[in-house]
Amino acid sequence: MLRFLARRSLGAIVILLLISAITFFLFFALPAEPARLACGKSCDPASLAIINKNLGLDEPVPVQYVKFMAGIVAGRDFAVGHCSAPCFGYSFVSQEPVWGTIVDRFPTTLSLALGGAAVFLVCGIGIGMVAAWRRGTWIDKFFSSLSLLGASLQIYFVGVLCLAWFVSGLGIMEQPAYYPFTDNPAKWFSGMLLPWLVLSLIFMANYSRMTRSQMVEQLQEDHVRTARAKGLSSRTVFFRYAWRGAIAPIVTIFGIDLGSLFGGAMVTEYTFTLHGIGRLAVESVQLTDLPMLMGVMLVSAAAIVAFTILVDAAYAVIDPRVRLA
């Protein structure tokens, strides 16, 4: 297991380096000048040169990339001061430290990801298991049709409708907003409830369909038939044998989805005006803010890679038939 984790960790570092290099060099292929964004409209050549020097933009692009990556590990000195590790530099637009901005925005995305994941995982798997347990009945057909409908919906459409109905129209839910959990847990819950429900509605449909199909497939496996032949009850066969084999593919998709949510649910955050990592990424692209964009990209990629490694390592625990070579 340790050798497996070591190999995957080294591979993750290579992937993150490739992502950072591609993002960095593609940015400098754009015609826009980053220093001019920080300087403003009424910018003279002297001020532009000072900003280029302060931000380290007066050096060759490969040198800038090496210093950027070194700053993440050991920190970096700028003309405006020292940036402690992990240093992603200073925003070209706001002149604020990139890491500090990401840390400020991350609790919003964390709350959205964990709350939404808890809802769609529990509800999606539960509905899928009920549909598989009652396979061929009207319950199965009802949940299957409902899942197909949910999978065809889009967050930006459902989110706007829910805001119009439940917030503006009926007034039974609060306007979505992030409040620190430590300050007021009740306010935090009520402010994130609607985004959780809308986000889970889309994901829940996929998980219920996947759970049902995996459970139906597992019920036809030889080891499940053997368990039935031994005289075990249907409930024991369903939950002890079929369920354990069906959970592995679901955990794989869940790890990827959860990593993506931690990287920033862009559409959800924009729909409900939540200032998280996803919204920060879109703003960075619009403003051509390289340090901020690089920081968000690397944090998002690290989250996805980390959850993928954890899911692969969990296979041997979930299903003893799986062995890590």
Side-chain angles (χ1 to χ4, degrees):
M1 178 67 76
L2 293 178
R3 292 179 59 187
F4 166 79
L5 292 177
R7 284 200 311 270
R8 292 303 303 270
S9 298
L10 290 175
I13 294 175
V14 174
I15 291 174
L16 293 176
L17 287 174
L18 289 174
I19 292 175
S20 64
I22 293 172
T23 306
F24 196 94
F25 288 102
L26 282 179
F27 178 87
F28 280 95
L30 298 176
E33 294 185 57
R36 191 170 295 278
L37 296 173
C39 190
K41 294 182 179 180
S42 57
C43 183
D44 56 87
S47 300
L48 191 63
I50 293 174
I51 292 176
N52 273 317
K53 183 173 181 58
N54 291 342
L55 297 177
L57 298 174
D58 57 338
E59 298 176 308
V61 175
V63 175
Q64 293 184 45
Y65 174 72
V66 171
K67 288 187 175 182
F68 173 82
M69 297 304 298
I72 297 177
V73 179
R76 186 178 174 187
D77 291 319
F78 289 89
V80 294
H82 178 73
C83 178
S84 302
C87 176
F88 292 91
Y90 290 85
S91 169
F92 289 162
V93 179
S94 65
Q95 304 300 312
E96 296 292 329
V98 171
W99 181 247
T101 304
I102 293 177
V103 171
D104 290 340
R105 297 284 192 101
F106 190 72
T108 303
T109 300
L110 177 64
S111 298
L112 178 64
L114 292 181
V119 175
F120 72 66
L121 188 64
V122 173
C123 296
I125 292 179
I127 291 174
M129 292 184 67
V130 171
W133 179 262
R134 299 297 183 183
R135 182 178 50 166
T137 65
W138 68 269
I139 296 177
D140 179 23
K141 296 177 181 179
F142 173 76
F143 282 135
S144 298
S145 302
L146 197 63
S147 298
L148 184 61
L149 176 63
S152 63
L153 298 176
Q154 298 296 326
I155 293 177
Y156 56 82
F157 174 74
V158 179
V160 171
L161 289 181
C162 289
L163 285 172
W165 290 344
F166 301 121
V167 178
S168 302
L170 300 176
I172 59 177
M173 301 188 73
E174 292 188 9
Q175 176 68 32
Y178 171 74
Y179 302 94
F181 177 81
T182 53
D183 293 347
N184 192 331
K187 198 74 173 175
W188 168 81
F189 180 83
S190 61
M192 298 297 296
L193 180 58
L194 187 58
W196 288 342
L197 295 176
V198 173
L199 181 65
S200 64
L201 180 64
I202 309 301
F203 282 90
M204 183 171 58
N206 296 327
Y207 279 84
S208 63
R209 295 172 62 198
M210 183 184 305
T211 301
R212 181 195 178 279
S213 63
Q214 289 296 323
M215 290 296 297
V216 171
E217 181 180 342
Q218 286 296 316
L219 289 171
Q220 308 301 321
E221 293 288 339
D222 292 338
H223 69 282
V224 176
R225 293 177 179 175
T226 303
R228 283 201 185 101
K230 289 181 178 180
L232 297 178
S233 65
S234 299
R235 187 180 300 273
T236 301
V237 171
F238 188 85
F239 289 101
R240 183 175 179 180
Y241 291 90
W243 162 244
R244 193 167 186 176
I247 192 64
I250 298 172
V251 171
T252 302
I253 302 301
F254 178 68
I256 298 174
D257 288 341
L258 190 58
S260 301
L261 290 176
F262 270 104
M266 300 180 185
V267 178
T268 307
E269 291 179 0
Y270 247 95
T271 302
F272 295 103
T273 322
L274 298 173
H275 297 279
I277 299 297
R279 189 181 180 92
L280 181 62
V282 177
E283 293 171 351
S284 302
V285 173
Q286 293 173 340
L287 298 174
T288 326
D289 192 349
L290 172 62
M292 195 66 71
L293 178 60
M294 288 287 293
V296 174
M297 286 285 294
L298 289 178
V299 169
S300 303
I304 295 174
V305 171
F307 279 105
T308 302
I309 294 175
L310 291 177
V311 165
D312 290 343
Y315 270 0
V317 178
I318 296 172
D319 192 344
R321 297 173 298 175
V322 176
R323 292 294 180 264
L324 301 175

